[in-house]
Amino acid sequence: MSDTSCSNPNGLERVLITGGGGYVGSALVPRLLQEGYRVKVVDLFWYGREVLESVRSHPNLSLVELDIRNAEGLGKELEGQDAVLHLACISNDPSFDLAPQLGTSINRDAFTPLLDAAVAADVRRFVYASSSSIYGVQERPDVREDANPLPLTDYSRFKLDCEHMLLDHAGARAMERVILRPATVCGYAPRLRLDVVVNILTAHAIANRRIKIFGGGQLRPNIHIDDMVDTYLALLEAPGDKIDGEAFNAGYQNLPVDEIAELVRRVVDDPAIEIERVPSDDDRSYHINSQKIRDVLGFEAKRTVEDAVKSLVDAFEAGQVPDPMDATRYYNIRRMQELAVT
C-alpha cells in the first residue's frame, strides 16, 4: 500500500468515480491510489465490493453505496471533490436492451442532475466516459473525433446525448469538461467482464476449446485495460486549456472479429481449438483513429490485444477466473437478471 502524495500538476487531488466498482474502475481505483489520489467510489456494487479487495483498507479510499439517480445524495458526496470521472452506466447494447427504462434513467436522465450537483459543489474537472459506438457504421477507414456521429442504438444515442448535455450545460462551463470515447476494453481486471469480444473469445478458447463468431468481418476497436487506466490518468494530469470542451478517441488496434479469434487461438497455443463462423446480420463495425489524443496530450496506448489475451490466459492459469462460463459476475446481463434491477 503506497503513501505517495499526489503529484497532479493541476492540484486535482480528490477524485470521485461513479461506477468505480465496474470493470474499468476495478483497475483504475488501485492505480489512482498508488499515484496518491484521494478516491471516492460511488457505485451500487452489483458485482460485489470484493472487486476492490486489494485496496479496501486504503486510508485514501472511500466506498459509497449510492444510486447515481439519487441527486440529493450524490450532491452531498460531491462536496469537496476536485474532479469527477463519470463511468457509471448500463454498459453496452445488449445490457441496455434488457432493461431499456433502467438504461434510460441511468444513462441519460441522471446526467443533468449529476452536472447540476457537480457545478454546485465547485468540481473543477469533469471527465465523461462516452463510447466509440456513437460513430456507428462509417465508410471512412479512420474515424476521427470530427466524424458525423451515426449512433445505431439507444445506448449509443444516449451516450451522444450526454456529450451534448455536458457541452451545452450553461453552469458546467465553469468546469473543465472532457469527453472520452473509448474503444472496447479488453484484458484482465478484478471485476472481469467476459461479455466483451476479446475476453469472451479467450474464455471460450480456454474453457471450451471452441470459439464461435458471428459474422467475423466486423471491425472492433480495442484498448487494453491498463491503457484505459493510463488514459484517465492522462486526462486528470492534462492542462485544462488543452482538454476543456474536447472529445478524444481512445483506442489502439482496430481488428476484424475473425482476426481476433485467430489471435486468441495462437496465444492460447492450442491449434486444436475450433473456430466456428456463423452468419450474422449485425452490421455494427467500428473503427477509430486515436491520433488526436497523441497530438494534443502526447498520450499513446502501447499494449496490444495480444497482451490482453496473455493477461487473461495468465489469470485463468492462476485460478483467478473460477467458473468462467456460469458465474454471473462476469456477465452484465446475467447479473442484472439475477438481481432483478430496476
Side-chain angles (χ1 to χ4, degrees):
M1 191 179 300
S2 173
D3 59 356
T4 305
S5 58
C6 187
S7 59
N8 182 286
N10 308 296
L12 304 173
E13 179 181 351
R14 297 177 181 273
V15 179
L16 183 146
I17 307 177
T18 67
Y23 178 33
V24 172
S26 70
L28 176 59
V29 169
R31 179 68 183 285
L32 287 171
L33 293 168
Q34 180 184 340
E35 297 295 328
Y37 287 91
R38 296 180 179 274
V39 181
K40 179 181 288 189
V41 173
V42 172
D43 200 297
L44 286 173
F45 298 103
W46 288 350
Y47 304 95
R49 292 180 178 234
E50 60 269 21
V51 301
L52 296 172
E53 186 62 36
S54 67
V55 292
R56 278 181 67 179
S57 60
H58 198 292
N60 287 346
L61 176 64
S62 173
L63 301 181
V64 179
E65 187 166 340
L66 180 70
D67 192 320
I68 64 165
R69 294 171 292 181
N70 180 343
E72 182 179 355
L74 193 55
K76 292 177 181 177
E77 298 301 335
L78 282 163
E79 293 175 4
Q81 300 300 306
D82 300 317
V84 170
L85 304 182
H86 182 39
L87 278 59
C89 71
I90 301 300
S91 293
N92 77 17
D93 297 325
S95 298
F96 191 98
D97 292 342
L98 174 68
Q101 291 182 325
L102 176 70
T104 301
S105 66
I106 291 177
N107 291 17
R108 186 188 65 188
D109 297 347
F111 193 72
T112 294
L114 169 60
L115 288 180
D116 291 339
V119 170
D122 293 322
V123 169
R124 289 176 49 203
R125 184 167 297 188
F126 192 105
V127 181
Y128 174 53
S130 183
S131 170
S132 60
S133 68
I134 68 160
Y135 297 118
V137 178
Q138 299 271 347
E139 294 299 324
R140 57 200 292 184
D142 271 340
V143 180
R144 299 174 184 264
E145 290 83 351
D146 60 356
N148 181 38
L150 299 170
L152 299 175
T153 64
D154 282 342
Y155 169 77
S156 53
R157 276 189 284 272
F158 291 169
K159 284 291 187 183
L160 184 59
D161 287 346
C162 290
E163 290 191 13
H164 294 156
M165 292 177 202
L166 179 61
L167 299 181
D168 294 342
H169 190 289
R173 291 170 191 163
M175 294 190 294
E176 297 162 347
R177 303 148 299 159
V178 59
I179 295 161
L180 189 62
R181 297 170 180 164
T184 300
V185 183
C186 54
Y188 178 76
R191 195 266 119 165
L192 183 59
R193 285 187 63 182
L194 294 180
D195 54 3
V196 289
V197 61
V198 172
N199 296 2
I200 190 59
L201 294 182
T202 304
H204 278 280
I206 295 171
N208 300 328
R209 282 349 210 207
R210 181 184 181 89
I211 301 173
K212 179 183 287 189
I213 58 176
F214 295 88
Q218 310 99 313
L219 279 170
R220 289 291 181 267
N222 305 279
I223 185 168
H224 192 291
I225 192 158
D226 291 342
D227 283 321
M228 191 76 265
V229 168
D230 287 346
T231 306
Y232 283 110
L233 283 165
L235 292 177
L236 286 172
E237 296 172 359
D241 60 353
K242 287 192 173 184
I243 57 95
D244 185 30
E246 296 292 337
F248 294 99
N249 291 341
Y252 186 38
Q253 290 173 289
N254 296 296
L255 297 176
V257 174
D258 53 8
E259 188 173 327
I260 294 172
E262 294 288 354
L263 183 154
V264 166
R265 178 161 61 181
R266 184 173 69 251
V267 174
V268 175
D269 195 22
D270 183 353
I273 293 172
E274 181 182 350
I275 297 177
E276 178 186 0
R277 292 172 171 82
V278 178
S280 173
D281 57 3
D282 180 1
D283 61 352
R284 295 175 302 145
S285 186
Y286 310 132
H287 37 102
I288 60 172
N289 179 294
S290 299
Q291 182 70 36
K292 179 179 175 180
I293 197 169
R294 186 184 317 159
D295 291 344
V296 175
L297 302 183
F299 176 81
E300 186 173 8
K302 57 190 177 187
R303 301 168 182 92
T304 64
V305 171
E306 184 172 352
D307 292 330
V309 175
K310 287 178 180 176
S311 75
L312 292 163
V313 171
D314 290 345
F316 271 83
E317 291 179 348
Q320 294 174 292
V321 192
D323 197 17
M325 293 295 101
D326 295 320
T328 62
R329 64 182 176 273
Y330 306 122
Y331 303 91
N332 286 5
I333 287 180
R334 294 186 200 173
R335 189 63 169 161
M336 289 166 63
Q337 289 172 324
E338 182 178 61
L339 295 175
V341 292
T342 58

